[in-house]
Amino acid sequence: MHSRSVSFISFAGVLILAIACSGDNPAGPDAPSQLNSSGAPLSSTIKSDVASAAGNAIATNLESLLANQAAAVGSFTVFAPSFDGETSSSTPPSSAPAEQPNCTAGSQPGVYLCVKQPGPGDHLKCTYSDEKKLYLCVKQEEPAPPASNPPSGEPQPTPAPSPSNPESCSFNADALVYSCAKSVEGKSVVKSYQFLDASGQAMEKFVRGTTESIRYRVQSDGTETQDNHTSASHSLRYVTVSGFLGPNRVWNGFGSSADTTSYKEDLSTRKYTGLSVDTLKAVTFVDERTTHPYPLSGVAVRVVDYTVVSTGKQVETTTVHKRVVVTFNGTADVPISLGDYSCVLHLDTHKVDGCK
């Protein structure tokens, strides 16, 4: 069982080296003090840009982590129902599909355990478990009958809007790893996750009172347009949320991304290209987030290494290496700092202001 957990993090060494090389410390002098089109020193503008971009990335990443946790804990039974015949007390078992005597209903509606693989007419998507010697099947929506064409000359009905792309998931029963992919609104995400008990052994599903943590590998590619800037990012992150046996949920992890961000201001532009390395250190939430929606404590660190090309009256190129630190305090308004340059990050709006 231990080898399953090791294989899940086999790529993590690459990012560990990246973090080690970053030193997690600022290096090099600040940017030259040339002016932008508004008359402000470019070095000050760069600090503001980096704080704004890093704050938005950290707030967005935080929301993604919570969404991933909710999805994993809330949907695990769909892909790994109980094999011992138990059913959930809150959800009645569903009926087995017609003419499928080799299938038994799982603990969730539309989930079945089958000795033999069902035929295509039953609209079941199945994965075979070598360990259980059974097919794990999930009921698929039956295709809608073709629409009849109205007689010629009659008005055509307005087509229904296309549904948003759902998340597609699968379960590797041998490695005990769930994999999901989703692509929507200019962003694609591919994630894998694994449930672990208190001893670090992989589990086939989330079990309250036994599962202690969830380990994630998340790869995302996306673009974003906000206000006066556009950005593109390609990231890979390894994070773990632990504490399911207690009252708090604690996030730790690291990752890296290749970033491109462009700002347009009056007649000038600034384009940032380069790499960033992210670290989460003991970012702690209360399990019941209704009254405490924001992290009580912990820090998020982003080390950026960018090349900046500024255009205006003339073209200027400089390099930027900054260490951005966000310290969580249980509220939506948290301090974000770049050395002696400090601001306020609003986790609810992702905005950064109050810089000095």
Side-chain angles (χ1 to χ4, degrees):
M1 191 73 75
H2 177 67
S3 61
R4 291 168 173 163
S5 297
V6 173
S7 62
F8 185 72
I9 59 173
S10 59
F11 294 103
V14 175
L15 288 179
I16 293 175
L17 289 176
I19 292 175
C21 292
S22 75
D24 204 32
N25 283 301
D30 286 339
S33 60
Q34 62 265 32
L35 303 181
N36 62 15
S37 62
S38 64
L42 183 58
S43 60
S44 177
T45 302
I46 287 175
K47 289 179 182 179
S48 177
D49 288 346
V50 171
S52 176
N56 178 57
I58 290 171
T60 300
N61 186 40
L62 207 62
E63 293 173 352
S64 299
L65 296 178
L66 297 178
N68 287 338
Q69 175 190 326
V73 174
S75 64
F76 68 93
T77 51
V78 173
F79 299 101
S82 174
F83 286 94
D84 56 11
E86 295 179 356
T87 58
S88 169
S89 59
S90 60
T91 306
S94 54
S95 302
E99 301 180 3
Q100 287 296 327
N102 66 311
C103 296
T104 57
S107 60
Q108 295 292 314
V111 180
Y112 306 95
L113 303 176
C114 303
V115 177
K116 299 179 182 180
Q117 186 170 17
D122 293 291
H123 305 291
L124 294 173
K125 182 178 181 180
C126 301
T127 301
Y128 186 71
S129 170
D130 287 328
E131 183 177 352
K132 301 297 181 181
K133 307 301 181 185
L134 292 170
Y135 286 93
L136 173 63
C137 301
V138 179
K139 187 73 172 178
Q140 305 294 295
E141 291 186 6
E142 298 187 14
S148 58
N149 294 324
S152 177
E154 293 187 8
Q156 300 289 327
T158 302
S162 301
S164 58
N165 294 332
E167 187 174 57
S168 173
C169 297
S170 62
F171 176 60
N172 185 325
D174 295 325
L176 301 182
V177 172
Y178 297 77
S179 298
C180 300
K182 185 174 184 178
S183 180
V184 62
E185 295 180 356
K187 184 175 184 179
S188 63
V189 178
V190 178
K191 66 182 179 184
S192 300
Y193 60 95
Q194 185 178 60
F195 301 114
L196 304 172
D197 63 18
S199 64
Q201 298 299 306
M203 305 174 62
E204 68 181 64
K205 62 178 181 177
F206 184 94
V207 179
R208 294 189 183 279
T210 302
T211 302
E212 204 282 331
S213 62
I214 309 174
R215 179 182 293 151
Y216 294 88
R217 176 190 185 275
V218 182
Q219 180 177 342
S220 62
D221 302 275
T223 58
E224 183 181 20
T225 300
Q226 277 193 350
D227 301 332
N228 66 331
H229 74 274
T230 59
S231 62
S233 178
H234 309 278
S235 68
L236 177 62
R237 290 180 170 81
Y238 293 85
V239 291
T240 298
V241 55
S242 59
F244 286 97
L245 300 181
N248 296 333
R249 304 293 177 261
V250 184
W251 289 89
N252 288 279
F254 54 86
S256 65
S257 62
D259 308 318
T260 301
T261 306
S262 298
Y263 293 84
K264 183 174 178 59
E265 182 180 88
D266 298 329
L267 300 178
S268 68
T269 61
R270 299 180 302 281
K271 184 175 182 180
Y272 296 74
T273 56
L275 301 175
S276 61
V277 175
D278 296 278
T279 309
L280 291 177
K281 301 179 181 179
V283 177
T284 303
F285 286 86
V286 175
D287 179 33
E288 178 51 63
R289 289 197 298 272
T290 303
T291 55
H292 296 89
Y294 302 107
L296 299 179
S297 59
V299 297
V301 180
R302 165 166 278 214
V303 178
V304 302
D305 219 331
Y306 294 151
T307 296
V308 186
V309 178
S310 176
T311 63
K313 295 182 179 179
Q314 58 183 351
V315 177
E316 300 285 349
T317 302
T318 188
T319 58
V320 177
H321 187 97
K322 294 291 182 184
R323 182 176 184 265
V324 184
V325 180
V326 171
T327 304
F328 300 106
N329 56 17
T331 73
D333 303 328
V334 295
I336 178 171
S337 62
L338 292 72
D340 60 354
Y341 186 79
S342 60
C343 311
V344 175
L345 166 62
H346 304 279
L347 294 175
D348 51 352
T349 63
H350 300 199
K351 299 296 184 182
V352 172
D353 57 26
C355 298
K356 56 184 179 181

